[in-house]
């Protein structure tokens, strides 16, 4: 077992490039199984979730070559239509394979997916949408079997703008006969990236990034070369890391328009954020001011994935801030860990009240999920003394070489063997 150790109190300074977005790369890799010929996907982060997806693609019969941040995928010949249960349990995003495998092969068999335990994330919207496209679905013994002789275009109305369901149904509809319209679709940048990749391969997807997406069915996709967008959640985490340490950093390979809500809230606390076309410069030398209210929302609102890191930042603000989590009901597991470090936080249902303290104190804490782990890193960077974070496998799911990135900015952070048996 490994843990991350941090000696706090060092201001971050310097410049760092943000890697490609995990949440864009995973559905793009899933879509690659629909193409005949080789696809070259650039700027794919080397993360645990990506490695699991690569293992799944190889199991399905695809040829995958990993060359640094470049992946070559050739799924011209697929030999399997079932995703192994042990791999499904490791990564929730494996659900993205249901739509493209069904569309291409006429059937797919999966078990219920795993991932972070941050609240209820049912897949009923995926299944209802596939049924609307003509799929037959059987659920038994913990497995889901989807079959269809041929999918057909349909009008699909999502009960809520689910990112995963929107992406899965776009991919399934690419090979459906006729036209499919998805109403109340999610609008995240990662959906636009998936649609752009599919269109590069020969699909006809229109309106991605809006609440209505229209897909004209085609019969074949070809391999393509494509570069994944920068990771907006990693970008936001690094902005907050600079702010909580009262440092000054520059981020390159970013798309600032993907983080409008976050940048606005940071500026509200007194942090200086300078925006350029593909760069962000953040600087502060003072304790942040409180935030009257933050409420997570579907894009373009404040992202739920940055609620935990932002709460760590607000834990040292001057005054009391209020945060409401409206997406995932289980996304306050980091609160008790921050309180171990001296944070003063009270939770009432889905609302947290953060009374800022002048200083956090290093402690032994545990990453309960991916973004909670990021929050604890931020807290550790600002804390007085040493912080030790257990269960770092959660962090490795979304942040590539996290200790090297922060170390390059002047943080005292390293990995070491853990004697924890938890």
């Amino acid at each position: 077992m490994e843990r991350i150790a941090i000696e706090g109190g060092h201001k971050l300074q310097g410049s760092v490039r943000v890697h490609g977005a995990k949440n864009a790369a995973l559905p793009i890799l899933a879509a690659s199984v629909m193409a005949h010929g080789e696809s070259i996907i650039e700027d794919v982060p080397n993360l645990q979730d990506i490695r699991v997806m690569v293992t799944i693609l190889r199991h399905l019969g695809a040829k995958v070559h990993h060359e640094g941040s470049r992946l070559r995928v050739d799924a011209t010949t697929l030999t399997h239509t079932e995703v192994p249960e042990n791999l499904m349990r490791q990564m929730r995003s494996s659900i993205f394979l249901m739509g493209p495998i069904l569309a291409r092969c006429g059937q797919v068999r999966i078990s219920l997916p795993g991932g972070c335990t941050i609240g209820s994330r049912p897949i009923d919207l995926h299944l209802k949408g596939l049924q609307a496209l003509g799929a037959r679905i059987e659920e038994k013994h913990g497995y889901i079997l989807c079959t269809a002789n041929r999918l057909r275009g349909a009008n699909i109305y999502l009960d809520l703008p689910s990112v995963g369901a929107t992406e899965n149904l776009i991919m399934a509809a690419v090979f459906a006969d006729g036209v499919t319209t998805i109403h109340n679709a999610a609008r995240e940048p990662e959906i636009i990236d998936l649609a752009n990749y599919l269109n590069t391969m020969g699909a006809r997807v229109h309106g991605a990034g809006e609440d209505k997406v229209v897909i004209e069915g085609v019969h074949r996709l070809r391999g393509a070369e494509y570069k994944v967008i920068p990771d907006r959640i990693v970008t936001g985490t690094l902005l907050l890391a600079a702010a909580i340490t009262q440092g000054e950093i520059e981020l390159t390979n970013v798309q600032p328009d993907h983080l409008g809500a976050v940048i606005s809230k940071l500026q509200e606390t007194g942090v200086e954020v300078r925006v350029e076309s593909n760069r962000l410069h953040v600087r502060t030398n003072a304790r942040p001011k409180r935030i009257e209210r933050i409420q997570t929302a579907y894009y373009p609102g404040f992202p739920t994935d940055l609620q935990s890191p932002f709460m760590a930042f607000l834990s040292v603000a001057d005054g009391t801030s209020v945060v409401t989590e409206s997406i995932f009901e289980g996304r306050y597991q980091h609160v008790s860990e921050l309180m171990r470090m001296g944070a003063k936080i009270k939770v009432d249902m889905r609302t947290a009240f953060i009374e800022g303290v002048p200083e956090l104190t290093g402690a032994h804490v545990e990453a309960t999920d991916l973004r909670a782990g990021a929050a604890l890193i931020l807290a550790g960077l600002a804390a007085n003394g040493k912080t030790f974070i257990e269960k770092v496998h959660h962090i490795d799911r979304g942040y590539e070489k996290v200790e090297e990135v922060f170390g390059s900015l002047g943080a005292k952070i390293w990995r070491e063997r853990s004697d924890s048996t938890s």
Side-chain angles (χ1 to χ4, degrees), residues 5-145:
I6 305 170
E7 179 188 286
H10 301 277
K11 295 185 177 184
L12 298 191
Q13 294 182 320
S15 178
V16 68
R17 181 186 186 276
V18 175
H19 62 64
K22 179 196 81 161
N23 289 337
L26 288 170
I28 284 173
L29 287 173
S32 69
V33 306
M34 303 175 71
H36 285 75
E38 183 182 70
S39 291
I40 301 174
I41 306 168
E42 304 276 1
D43 214 3
V44 179
N46 185 13
L47 302 169
Q48 176 61 22
D49 280 7
I50 298 294
R51 292 190 287 271
V52 171
M53 180 63 83
V54 168
T55 300
I56 293 174
L57 293 178
R58 287 172 174 159
H59 168 82
L60 296 173
K63 299 175 182 177
V64 186
H65 299 284
H66 211 154
E67 305 165 353
S69 63
R70 172 187 294 175
L71 275 177
R72 295 178 177 269
V73 183
D74 189 340
T76 301
T77 302
L78 292 184
T79 56
H80 294 84
T81 59
E82 178 177 340
V83 180
E85 180 180 9
N86 66 312
L87 296 175
M88 285 291 299
R89 290 187 178 277
Q90 290 183 44
M91 181 186 64
R92 181 172 182 81
S93 297
S94 49
I95 194 71
F96 290 135
L97 286 157
M98 186 162 54
I101 295 175
L102 175 65
R104 173 163 176 191
C105 302
Q107 68 174 30
V108 60
R109 186 172 187 261
I110 64 168
S111 63
L112 295 177
C116 286
T117 56
I118 58 175
S120 175
R121 293 187 287 177
I123 63 170
D124 60 308
L125 296 181
H126 301 248
L127 301 181
K128 289 178 182 177
L130 291 175
Q131 285 178 316
L133 292 170
R136 297 176 295 278
I137 296 174
E138 299 177 51
E139 298 181 57
K140 54 185 177 182
H141 308 304
Y143 280 87
I144 299 171
L145 176 64

Side-chain angles (χ1 to χ4, degrees), residues 316-381:
V316 295
D318 184 9
T320 299
S321 303
V322 180
V323 173
T324 299
E325 173 55 58
S326 62
I327 308 297
F328 294 120
E329 73 278 6
R331 202 150 213 179
Y332 281 147
Q333 297 179 60
H334 57 285
V335 168
S336 60
E337 301 303 301
L338 289 175
M339 291 176 68
R340 287 176 181 264
M341 302 179 70
K344 294 184 179 180
I345 305 170
K346 293 182 180 179
V347 176
D348 182 11
M349 302 294 285
R350 290 197 173 199
T351 298
F353 301 87
I354 306 101
E355 181 185 341
V357 297
E359 186 177 67
L360 297 175
T361 304
H364 285 77
V365 292
E366 188 175 278
T368 53
D369 61 70
L370 168 54
R371 307 306 173 184
L376 296 176
I377 287 178
L378 298 190
L381 292 172

Side-chain angles (χ1 to χ4, degrees), residues 21 187-190 192-193 229-233 235 254-263 299-301 303 306:
R187 301 164 59 188
E188 274 71 5
E190 294 80 11
I192 300 173
D193 213 33
I229 59 172
D231 196 309
R232 62 192 172 101
I233 306 303
T235 303
V254 299
Q255 290 191 219
D257 57 319
H258 292 172
L259 282 165
V262 176
I263 292 172
Y299 189 85
L306 284 173

Side-chain angles (χ1 to χ4, degrees), residues 176-233:
D177 289 334
V179 176
T180 298
T181 303
I182 303 173
H183 301 269
N184 196 29
R187 301 164 59 188
E188 274 71 5
E190 294 80 11
I191 292 171
I192 300 173
D193 213 33
L194 171 63
N196 289 342
Y197 174 63
L198 288 166
N199 289 341
T200 301
M201 292 194 294
R204 296 174 182 170
V205 182
H206 314 281
E210 302 173 8
D211 61 3
K212 184 174 79 171
V213 181
V214 178
I215 305 101
E216 300 177 54
V218 299
H219 296 291
R220 188 180 180 90
L221 295 181
R222 58 185 178 274
E225 187 167 347
Y226 194 79
K227 182 180 178 182
V228 175
I229 59 172
D231 196 309
R232 62 192 172 101
I233 306 303

Side-chain angles (χ1 to χ4, degrees), residues 409-422:
L409 297 171
K412 303 300 181 184
I413 178 172
W414 63 94
R415 285 181 190 249
E416 61 183 32
R417 292 289 299 172
S418 171
D419 55 5
S420 172
T421 57
S422 61

